[in-house]
Amino acid sequence: MKYLALVYYDENIIKAMSSEEWGSLNRECLACVEGLQNSGHFLAGQALQPVESATTIRVRDGKATTTDGPFAETKEQLAGFYMLDARDLNEALQLARKIPPARLGSVEIRPVREIEPFADTAFTDDRPWRAEVQ
């Protein structure tokens, strides 16, 4: 099963790092990816540019609006992601514990919802987020 590991941290902590600390963290991340690749658990991943480079788009009533930066004001910013292949949530959590930036912020693990091409895309009662309607 695929799991997305979203890496969050406070960019101010990163900005305060010395170049040696930043280089060390990046080498740890590369080693983590190499270990995940060697074990067959790494599917994809990327680091993101700082939050100042973000643009958010919203479409309401057919009209698109854009704003600079992320949509939410938060203490931690989305810094990157790892797409993992894991047997189950427990294995995904064990793999995510090894992601170095977890020491600086957090890693959110979410199962990937597969959408079959050309399948009936009508909503069904198997949506996990669906509230029961009486």
Side-chain angles (χ1 to χ4, degrees):
M1 183 164 186
K2 293 178 187 170
Y3 289 87
L4 185 62
L6 297 165
V7 177
Y8 293 89
Y9 55 62
D10 182 343
E11 288 184 357
N12 291 319
I13 293 172
I14 301 303
K15 290 176 185 175
M17 287 182 165
S18 68
S19 58
E20 292 81 18
E21 291 169 322
W22 176 241
S24 177
L25 178 62
N26 280 287
R27 285 188 295 279
E28 283 185 73
C29 291
L30 292 172
C32 177
V33 167
E34 183 177 2
L36 290 167
Q37 285 174 324
N38 291 339
S39 67
H41 291 102
F42 185 82
L43 299 174
Q46 287 292 157
L48 299 176
Q49 293 291 333
V51 73
E52 295 91 33
S53 66
T55 302
T56 299
I57 186 166
R58 303 178 115 217
V59 179
R60 299 294 184 269
D61 298 321
K63 183 179 176 190
T65 58
T66 60
T67 55
D68 291 339
F71 173 68
E73 295 278 335
T74 63
K75 183 178 179 184
E76 295 179 341
Q77 294 79 37
L78 180 61
F81 72 93
Y82 292 63
M83 180 67 75
L84 305 172
D85 185 22
R87 183 175 50 255
D88 55 27
L89 178 59
N90 285 333
E91 184 177 37
L93 292 170
Q94 291 300 315
L95 296 169
R97 290 178 66 183
K98 299 174 184 176
I99 297 174
R103 296 190 314 263
L104 304 172
S106 61
V107 177
E108 177 184 343
I109 307 301
R110 295 186 57 186
V112 172
R113 183 171 56 96
E114 299 288 346
I115 300 175
E116 297 294 326
F118 307 109
D120 181 6
T121 57
F123 286 125
T124 63
D125 288 339
D126 64 350
R127 291 175 286 162
W129 63 86
R130 183 171 185 243
E132 288 298 318
V133 178
Q134 299 294 331

